[in-house]
């Protein structure tokens, strides 16, 4: 193990034992002390606030506010969502931890909150989904459009996404209207949870807990991806995949069952040597 990777794992281990908000503030204070050019930004987004929900709403407004929906109005919408449904903030905490623990390039909780478009797109979707459930569909669609424009991530506001989600790089991720995604999933850039045609109704994938979906993978139709399954990069999946199995290819075939115990957390995208291959 390289010295850099070993140091990263030590930092991850220490941060994992601390509450997310406390660790985030400590990291921001340290960054502000060593990089004075960022001190004003860190103070505005993190250090001046007393709770993660306040930092989230400020950052969301700062990033997405425009001439049509001013930052102040957008922040009020986010705060309303957090106060009405506190579970959104708990989901955000789990998402932050997922980004920090699973991305070897991530050195602090500060990075996803400030810079990672996958994280920012996901948090905006969580507010947009709350709006959708409240019947405020037009504003939910507006947020979806802004996220697509700014971050190149397109998630229908009706889609359901569990906590502890990790969107690595984010660019090109598409999740359709009737998709349901379980806790602790990881998706890489270019991945799609889509339909297979112009039919309406329940037409998008149902993804279980702990699933890893590789870069450029397309999972299409009202099919199920079982818990702790792995979808290899570039695959096109048109049929359901059992739990703990790996699917790869175009069209996808099952490569091995059982796959690694927690693919979304290990981020292991390799295929087992000598794995068998049979049709789904």
């Amino acid at each position: 193990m390289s010295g850099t990777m070993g140091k990263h794992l030590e930092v991850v281990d220490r941060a994992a034992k601390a509450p997310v908000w406390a660790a985030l503030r400590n990291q921001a204070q340290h960054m502000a002390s060593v990089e004075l050019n960022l001190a004003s930004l860190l103070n505005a987004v993190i250090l001046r606030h007393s709770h993660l929900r306040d930092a989230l709403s400020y950052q969301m407004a700062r990033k997405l506010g425009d001439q049509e929906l001013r930052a102040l109005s957008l922040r009020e919408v986010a705060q309303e969502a957090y106060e009405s449904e506190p579970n959104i903030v708990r989901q955000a905490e789990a998402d932050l931890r997922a980004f920090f623990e699973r991305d070897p390039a991530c050195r602090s909780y500060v990075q996803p909150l400030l810079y990672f478009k996958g994280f920012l797109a996901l948090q905006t979707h969580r507010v947009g989904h709350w709006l959708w459930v409240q019947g405020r569909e037009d504003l939910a669609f507006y947020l979806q459009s802004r996220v697509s424009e700014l971050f190149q991530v397109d998630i229908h506001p009706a889609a359901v996404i569990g906590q502890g989600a990790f969107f690595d790089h984010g660019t090109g991720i598409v999740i359709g209207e009737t998709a349901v995604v379980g806790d602790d999933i990881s998706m890489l850039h270019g991945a799609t949870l889509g339909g297979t045609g112009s039919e309406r109704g329940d037409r998008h994938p149902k993804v279980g807990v702990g699933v890893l979906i590789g870069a450029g993978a397309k999972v299409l139709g009202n099919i199920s991806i079982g818990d702790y399954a792995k979808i290899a990069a570039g695959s096109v999946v048109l049929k359901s995949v059992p739990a703990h199995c790996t699917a790869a290819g175009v069209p996808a075939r099952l490569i091995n069952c059982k796959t690694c115990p927690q693919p979304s957390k290990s981020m292991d995208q390799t295929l087992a040597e000598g794995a068998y291959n049979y049709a789904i």
Side-chain angles (χ1 to χ4, degrees):
M1 179 184 296
S2 69
T4 301
M5 179 59 72
K7 184 177 181 180
H8 172 73
L9 292 176
E10 290 176 8
V11 171
V12 167
D13 183 62
R14 288 197 302 271
K17 297 175 182 177
V20 169
W21 177 240
L24 176 62
R25 283 186 57 85
N26 288 338
Q27 292 163 358
Q29 288 172 342
H30 175 70
M31 289 181 186
S33 69
V34 299
E35 183 49 80
L36 298 181
N37 290 310
L38 293 178
S40 178
L41 173 64
L42 291 163
N43 182 68
V45 177
I46 300 169
L47 295 176
R48 65 183 292 185
H49 306 295
S50 59
H51 196 282
L52 177 59
R53 64 174 177 266
D54 301 320
L56 284 171
S57 63
Y58 184 93
Q59 177 68 339
M60 190 181 306
R62 191 179 77 88
K63 284 289 189 178
L64 275 73
D66 61 6
Q67 293 296 321
E68 284 69 41
L69 184 61
R70 298 287 185 174
L72 181 59
S73 297
L74 181 53
R75 189 177 185 196
E76 290 174 350
V77 170
Q79 289 281 21
E80 182 184 0
Y82 298 148
E83 291 171 7
S84 173
E85 183 49 75
N87 190 53
I88 300 175
V89 180
R90 289 191 287 269
Q91 290 175 326
E93 290 176 345
D95 298 338
L96 265 177
R97 195 177 293 280
F99 273 76
F100 181 57
E101 292 178 353
R102 298 178 207 169
D103 186 351
C106 184
R107 290 167 170 77
S108 71
Y109 290 125
V110 176
Q111 284 176 274
L113 180 61
L114 288 186
Y115 310 129
F116 288 9
K117 57 189 177 183
F119 178 79
L120 295 169
L122 178 59
Q123 303 320 310
T124 307
H125 166 75
R126 296 202 185 284
V127 172
H129 181 70
W130 176 83
L131 289 167
W132 185 269
V133 172
Q134 300 299 311
R136 300 168 68 179
E137 295 184 2
D138 292 330
L139 186 52
F141 278 135
Y142 186 85
L143 291 185
Q144 177 193 5
S145 176
R146 285 293 289 156
V147 167
S148 181
E149 292 171 3
L150 291 173
F151 306 134
Q152 296 80 53
V153 177
D154 196 351
I155 310 172
H156 193 286
V160 177
I161 301 176
Q163 69 177 17
F166 172 41
F167 292 170
D168 197 10
H169 300 292
T171 304
I173 286 178
V174 176
I175 300 177
E177 178 182 10
T178 61
V180 178
V181 180
D183 293 343
D184 296 321
I185 65 97
S186 292
M187 293 180 66
L188 282 86
H189 52 285
T192 297
L193 303 180
T196 57
S198 60
E199 74 278 7
R200 296 181 181 272
D202 195 355
R203 62 195 183 278
H204 295 106
K206 310 299 180 281
V207 179
V209 172
V211 172
L212 171 62
I213 302 177
K218 315 302 177 188
V219 184
L220 307 176
N222 186 14
I223 61 176
S224 62
I225 308 299
D227 294 346
Y228 305 105
K230 185 190 324 187
I231 309 301
S235 299
V236 177
V237 183
L238 301 173
K239 296 182 180 180
S240 294
V241 175
H244 301 283
C245 288
T246 296
V250 182
R253 297 169 66 87
L254 297 184
I255 300 300
N256 69 301
C257 304
K258 249 181 172 176
T259 188
C260 56
Q262 293 185 311
S264 69
K265 293 186 177 181
S266 69
M267 297 296 291
D268 181 2
Q269 299 179 68
T270 62
L271 300 179
E273 293 185 11
Y276 50 87
N277 182 324
Y278 58 88
I280 297 175

